[in-house]
Amino acid sequence: MILDFGSINMDLVMAVTALPRPGETVLCDGYVTKPGGKGSNQAVAAARAGAKVAMAGAVGDDGFGQVMRATLAKEGIDTALIATSDRPTGVAYICVDARAENFIAVGSGANLAVRADQVPDDRLTSETLLVLQMELPPEQNWALLQRARARGCRAILNVAPAAAVPEAALRDLDLLVVNEHEALAIAGGLGLDTSSPRAAAQALSGRMALTCVVTLGGEGAIAVGPGAGFAVPALPIQPVDTTGAGDTFTGVLAAGLDAGLPLDQALRRASTGAALACLALGAQESMPTAAAIDAALPRLGPTTAIG
């Protein structure tokens, strides 16, 4: 079972010819509403990849909240731990340009009301894989992570959006997922090697006794854990919208690990899934099923062992 403790947003997506610069107004034909939020996205990605998933978070008592609950339930996700807040449901405003680059602003809303004690102890077991991101109040992440470690629950933290992570929280993790900039920032904050993303991952893994996964966009990803390291390429594609690719990577990776796959195989599925998620507009709608990942996996280049 994957337990996702994370954000739930409604995305308002606009296709623009160019991303707005400071002080500039850019017009477009219209917009579409699509389910989003890093927590919700990763939960959906994991569920479509074949995992059993529960979501803990909060929405407002409004139309967006009703849609988000129904959307998650339709994906087969357990929504019993989603609270209703007097704050409005979180909203993200996303502009996507002709090159598939994006600009995102998030109004957190009900996500700021999420509390660690929404998750009862009986949901934190050795059979649970806890997945966290950085769109909730960070102190709630750390409180739940501490409880999870004490109860033998495995935990993954995706440091997105980028933010500081206390050393104590890092020591409670089994797996840290970061992009190259986040890897360097976290390692640098601890006085570790920042000469390259790979060096930072190796230093973090060695100091914190965790597996550090660094996503490298079109270059794929690397993973460094106690005693083993791997690099996987990216699937060659022509992207339409990169929104949600990172969330897909984390969700599919979590699903693979929850299913008992070795790290290198789970990493390959995550890299393939992230690429497939770039082939359509929107975050959750573009996330692939396990069957789609299986079909595309043979097109992924070979895995390389790293020291």
Side-chain angles (χ1 to χ4, degrees):
M1 162 69 78
I2 291 174
L3 173 59
D4 194 305
F5 183 71
S7 57
I8 302 171
N9 295 329
M10 180 62 77
D11 291 349
L12 279 66
V13 184
M14 288 165 272
V16 297
T17 54
L19 299 180
R21 295 171 296 184
E24 181 184 20
T25 297
V26 175
L27 300 180
C28 62
D29 291 343
Y31 68 93
V32 292
T33 56
K34 294 179 179 291
K38 287 191 173 295
S40 174
N41 288 346
Q42 292 179 14
V44 170
R48 289 194 187 166
K52 184 179 179 182
V53 182
M55 180 84 212
V59 295
D61 185 14
D62 51 39
F64 284 164
Q66 294 170 12
V67 171
M68 291 306 302
R69 283 183 186 275
T71 297
L72 291 167
K74 186 176 179 181
E75 296 286 346
I77 295 169
D78 179 353
T79 62
L81 298 180
I82 298 176
T84 300
S85 169
D86 56 3
R87 292 175 175 266
T89 300
V91 173
Y93 294 90
I94 304 172
C95 292
V96 182
D97 70 12
R99 298 176 299 171
E101 296 296 330
N102 59 46
F103 176 99
I104 304 173
V106 177
S108 295
N111 294 308
L112 297 179
V114 178
R115 297 293 178 262
D117 60 12
Q118 288 176 221
V119 180
D121 281 346
D122 62 10
R123 291 285 193 131
L124 302 172
T125 74
S126 59
E127 300 299 313
T128 306
L129 179 58
L130 177 65
V131 178
L132 309 102
Q133 318 78 32
M134 298 297 292
E135 288 188 331
L136 299 184
E139 68 276 7
Q140 302 303 321
N141 271 349
W142 315 146
L144 184 58
L145 187 55
Q146 186 177 52
R147 285 172 52 209
R149 173 59 69 183
R151 297 184 62 80
C153 174
R154 295 178 297 159
I156 295 175
L157 172 65
N158 176 211
V159 187
V165 182
E167 185 168 345
L170 290 169
R171 293 189 182 279
D172 284 336
L173 289 173
D174 295 277
L175 196 143
L176 177 71
V177 180
V178 287
N179 65 26
E180 52 192 310
H181 306 295
E182 294 155 357
L184 296 175
I186 293 172
L190 296 170
L192 301 176
D193 190 346
T194 57
S195 58
S196 69
R198 174 173 165 177
Q202 290 171 323
L204 285 165
S205 176
R207 170 77 72 87
M208 302 301 168
L210 52 72
T211 296
C212 182
V213 175
V214 183
T215 58
L216 302 170
E219 307 247 333
I222 60 172
V224 180
F230 305 97
V232 299
L235 194 70
I237 58 161
Q238 185 63 45
V240 173
D241 178 13
T242 59
T243 306
D247 294 335
T248 302
F249 181 97
T250 300
V252 175
L253 179 65
L257 295 174
D258 185 60
L261 293 181
L263 176 60
D264 59 333
Q265 292 183 31
L267 198 66
R268 289 180 63 80
R269 296 187 68 80
S271 184
T272 301
L276 295 177
C278 297
L279 298 178
L281 191 66
Q284 291 184 17
E285 289 185 353
S286 63
M287 290 176 174
T289 63
I293 295 171
D294 289 339
L297 200 54
R299 296 193 282 117
L300 188 70
T303 300
T304 304
I306 58 176

